[in-house]
Amino acid sequence: MRKKNNIANKKHLSLQINLTAKDSILLKRYCELNGTTPKITIKKILHEFLLENVNMPEDEVENQLSLFEARETDLFDYIRG
């Protein structure tokens, strides 16, 4: 049985992709024109695509109104010691 990987706990994720012959030729040509490697090019293109198309999840703000609610306090909680 394969162990499931939690992506959030990893610093890097390794993926294997299969390109068609046509896409492979285009990638090599792009790299030659821009003086980069296929690995750097794919990372850059994927990063830009994700930034444009996926919203980062926002942290939920906790309800802070409970700070001002009336509370019952026990006088003896402050005297003990």
Side-chain angles (χ1 to χ4, degrees):
M1 181 186 281
R2 282 184 80 175
K3 185 177 175 183
K4 290 186 178 182
N5 293 329
N6 187 357
I7 295 173
N9 293 335
K10 291 189 170 192
K11 189 171 183 177
H12 299 282
L13 174 64
S14 178
L15 297 174
Q16 180 180 354
I17 60 169
N18 296 320
L19 297 176
T20 62
K22 193 175 191 179
D23 287 341
S24 180
I25 292 169
L26 290 174
L27 179 61
K28 287 178 185 177
R29 180 72 178 136
Y30 181 90
C31 292
E32 289 172 3
L33 291 173
N34 293 296
T36 63
T37 64
K39 184 176 178 178
I40 292 172
T41 301
I42 292 171
K43 282 183 178 182
K44 179 182 174 189
I45 292 170
L46 182 61
H47 179 74
E48 290 173 1
F49 175 82
L50 292 174
L51 283 177
E52 292 175 6
N53 295 298
V54 179
N55 295 330
M56 290 295 292
E58 296 180 15
D59 295 334
E60 291 185 23
V61 178
E62 293 182 21
N63 184 0
Q64 295 182 355
L65 294 176
S66 62
L67 296 173
F68 301 105
E69 289 179 355
R71 296 183 182 152
E72 289 186 30
T73 57
D74 187 3
L75 178 62
F76 295 106
D77 287 341
Y78 299 106
I79 298 174
R80 294 180 192 153

